[in-house]
Amino acid sequence: MRYDVIILGAGPAGLSAAVYARRAGLTVLILDAGAPGGKMNLTAELENWPGDQKVAGPELAYRMYEHAMHFGAEQKYGNVTKIEDGEPKKVTCDDGTVYEGRTIIIATGTKERKMGIPNETEMTGRGVSYCAVCDGPFFRDEPVAVIGGGNSALQEADYLTRFASKVHVIVRRNVFRADKIVADKATDNPKIEVHFLRKPVEVLVEDNKVKGIRIENSETHEQEDLFVNAIFPFIGLDPVTDFAKDLGICNEQGYIVTDENMQTKVPGIYAAGDVRAKFLRQVVTATNDGAIAAQSISHHLNEA
Ligand SMILES: Cc1cc2nc3c(=O)[nH]c(=O)nc-3n(C[C@H](O)[C@H](O)[C@H](O)COP(=O)(O)OP(=O)(O)OC[C@H]3O[C@@H](n4cnc5c(N)ncnc54)[C@H](O)[C@@H]3O)c2cc1C
């Protein structure tokens, strides 16, 4: 089977692209290496998805997935490891399966940046977690730490106060990098204690579980230990584009460069969502990109 469009990634960008492509009458295959919905599955609550004053991330993920399926998109599990240009274009997954498409939309988003400190890797799943929604409830009435001072860090810190006895927020700079409304909510929360000008230097371990985090004052270099049972780093994201590097469509940071129609410099290969080089990485901008990519493809194929 040769699809009109193969969409890599079933996050909001990929699912939005699927809705638009199917409604334009194109045959669509969506491949995802995880659960449909992408990062929305990791987000406790969104307050900036127009039409919903507040919506749980996994609920919005499910609704978008159902919407795409309703219009007849085909979805398969697939961890994409290679894409090749040509007529047709080829998408290879890690199990060796190869899919053929007339066009491709890359919507594989980003992956969490690691702190890169001792014991982080060993303690992942044993107290170090990159998903507050998934693991926060395990730390009811226990102290936890969030690393980072941006929107995601502060939103997730606020969410964690539902369970944790206390949430320490470790911020490298002396200011937040978050929207004022998000920062105010976090600072007004009596369960949150913010530690500015501190960087994490080591995950402390006892009985093969997290027992705390060592932090360092970035001005005096003094170190102190905070005793927490879980650590949630939200310190940034990197694009998932290894499989596209050979095509020469990524910038120095690995993000994919497109024109305003979401087309890369390789005709027929598009990108949408967080994986793109762009200013604002949010659900609403991901869906925007997906819609434009699908609509551009529809025009491109009709002209062909
Ligand atoms: C903790 C947190 C809180 C956030 N809060 C908000 C918020 O309140 N409001 C908001 O608007 N945004 C928020 N965001 C950002 C938002 O989630 C993203 O901007 C959005 O999900 C990006 O959508 P996307 O479709 O581009 O990528 P993603 O949602 O990242 O989806 C990418 C998909 O691609 C799949 N994939 C990756 N690699 C491969 C591969 N090799 N093969 C196959 N599939 C692959 C992944 O499994 C995933 O399903 C938050 C993000 C985080 C991490």
Side-chain angles (χ1 to χ4, degrees):
M1 166 100 186
R2 185 175 298 182
Y3 297 89
D4 290 327
V5 50
I6 302 181
I7 301 172
L8 316 185
L15 293 174
S16 162
V19 168
Y20 276 75
R22 281 300 301 146
R23 292 190 75 243
L26 305 178
T27 53
V28 174
L29 171 66
I30 315 175
L31 293 171
D32 200 294
K39 288 248 176 323
M40 291 187 291
N41 290 313
L42 310 184
T43 307
E45 260 166 8
L46 290 91
E47 290 186 344
N48 49 12
W49 173 248
D52 283 313
Q53 287 171 15
K54 200 176 264 199
V55 59
E59 182 194 330
L60 187 58
Y62 183 71
R63 280 178 6 209
M64 282 193 198
Y65 174 67
E66 287 280 285
H67 196 163
M69 292 303 111
H70 165 78
F71 283 119
E74 189 179 336
Q75 195 244 327
K76 289 188 175 168
Y77 173 84
N79 184 14
V80 176
T81 51
K82 191 161 95 180
I83 57 180
E84 288 162 273
D85 190 24
E87 296 283 341
K89 302 183 193 315
K90 290 187 180 159
V91 174
T92 306
C93 295
D94 62 355
D95 63 359
T97 317
V98 180
Y99 297 98
E100 294 183 349
R102 297 171 73 195
T103 62
I104 294 172
I105 301 177
I106 303 170
T108 43
T110 53
K111 57 178 179 295
E112 301 76 15
R113 199 170 291 158
K114 303 285 190 283
M115 296 183 288
I117 59 175
N119 298 325
E120 177 181 16
T121 309
E122 296 81 348
M123 288 301 109
T124 298
R126 310 193 67 81
V128 174
S129 167
Y130 304 88
C131 178
V133 185
C134 320
D135 297 324
F138 292 122
F139 300 95
R140 200 171 285 277
D141 299 323
E142 297 177 26
V144 305
V146 165
I147 317 297
N151 279 323
S152 296
L154 297 188
Q155 280 169 340
E156 300 312 299
D158 187 58
Y159 170 74
L160 284 165
T161 60
R162 293 183 194 182
F163 315 102
S165 55
K166 177 156 197 157
V167 179
H168 294 274
V169 176
I170 317 298
V171 187
R172 192 167 43 89
R173 304 196 304 171
N174 59 356
V175 285
F176 291 126
R177 202 175 16 89
D179 296 339
K180 188 175 180 318
I181 190 171
V182 176
D184 288 349
K185 202 171 172 197
T187 40
D188 288 349
N189 189 323
K191 278 189 168 184
I192 292 182
E193 183 178 342
V194 181
H195 305 257
F196 283 115
L197 285 174
R198 300 290 190 282
K199 59 173 190 182
V201 289
E202 185 179 344
V203 174
L204 305 174
V205 180
E206 190 174 82
D207 295 335
N208 206 21
K209 283 191 302 207
V210 167
K211 91 158 185 202
I213 181 133
R214 182 159 298 155
I215 55 175
E216 183 177 293
N217 184 313
S218 37
E219 286 181 337
T220 65
H221 302 293
E222 260 172 52
Q223 295 193 345
E224 71 179 295
D225 292 346
L226 291 179
F227 293 100
V228 294
N229 296 351
I231 300 165
F232 293 89
F234 296 103
I235 55 170
L237 300 157
D238 291 308
V240 182
T241 51
D242 281 349
F243 54 80
K245 293 256 156 73
D246 292 347
L247 294 170
I249 56 176
C250 301
N251 69 12
E252 273 179 14
Q253 290 77 38
Y255 287 100
I256 298 177
V257 178
T258 70
D259 63 16
E260 66 176 12
N261 294 330
M262 307 300 144
Q263 182 160 232
T264 68
K265 70 180 186 189
V266 179
I269 298 188
Y270 294 70
D274 283 8
V275 77
R276 275 182 67 226
K278 64 178 187 175
F279 171 61
L280 181 65
R281 294 193 175 85
Q282 290 278 280
V283 172
V284 73
T285 60
T287 55
N288 161 80
D289 290 358
I292 294 173
Q295 208 61 17
S296 309
I297 286 173
S298 171
H299 282 276
H300 170 84
L301 294 181
N302 282 337
E303 280 168 12

